[in-house]
Amino acid sequence: MSNTTLHLTYLSAAWSARQQASALQLLITRARQDPYLALALAHIDTTEMKGVLDAAGMGAALAEAEAERDLNAALAERCRRREAVQAEPGTPCVCRHSPATHARRLTAQGKLPCRHDGCGCTDLSFV
Ligand SMILES: [Zn+2]
Ligand SMILES: [Zn+2]
């Protein structure tokens, strides 16, 4: 690599790092002024996030977090219902279909309808 190429590579890296540092400094300053922003930033787990935090990047991360929230809320509800009647793991719904055959997300009414074609079960139930 020629000295000129190295020079340009380091200049480019320095420019990128300067932009990153400037953006982080802005967030630190604003977070100090706004405790709600500080709290929101503290809740963002960047471990699996990739790319920049522009509107599209944050939108994608938001969609992923909401999907994970909904899937886990449905799984938690499935467990809660099983525990409530002390049903063994593997116990099917009263419609005879497995809990996994039911909705992967709670409906707005908090139900887990069966997804099996023509079943008609409107809510997962073990009794
Ligand atoms: Zn069912
Ligand atoms: Zn069913």
Side-chain angles (χ1 to χ4, degrees):
M1 203 179 279
S2 75
N3 191 59
T4 303
T5 304
L6 269 177
H7 178 210
L8 292 174
T9 300
Y10 288 134
L11 269 182
S12 173
W15 184 82
S16 294
R18 190 176 307 118
Q19 267 199 322
Q20 179 96 351
S22 173
L24 287 166
Q25 188 57 60
L26 175 67
L27 280 178
I28 290 168
T29 302
R30 294 282 168 85
R32 281 189 186 132
Q33 299 164 345
D34 182 346
Y36 294 109
L37 177 62
L39 189 62
L41 289 170
H43 283 132
I44 295 174
D45 182 355
T46 59
T47 308
E48 292 181 20
M49 291 173 73
K50 292 179 174 56
V52 295
L53 280 179
D54 59 4
M58 286 191 287
L62 172 63
E64 197 171 314
E66 288 177 336
E68 194 171 325
R69 172 199 65 197
D70 293 347
L71 290 173
N72 284 294
L75 289 169
E77 178 62 13
R78 190 192 294 178
C79 292
R80 189 195 65 74
R81 291 180 189 192
R82 189 181 284 130
E83 281 172 14
V85 295
Q86 299 186 350
E88 294 295 317
T91 303
C93 176
V94 291
C95 73
R96 298 185 183 203
H97 295 121
S98 75
T101 306
H102 291 67
R104 299 179 68 201
R105 294 175 176 80
L106 289 160
T107 65
Q109 294 76 35
K111 297 191 172 186
L112 293 166
C114 185
R115 294 181 293 158
H116 197 275
D117 284 341
C119 175
C121 167
T122 58
D123 199 16
L124 174 70
S125 175
F126 296 103
V127 289

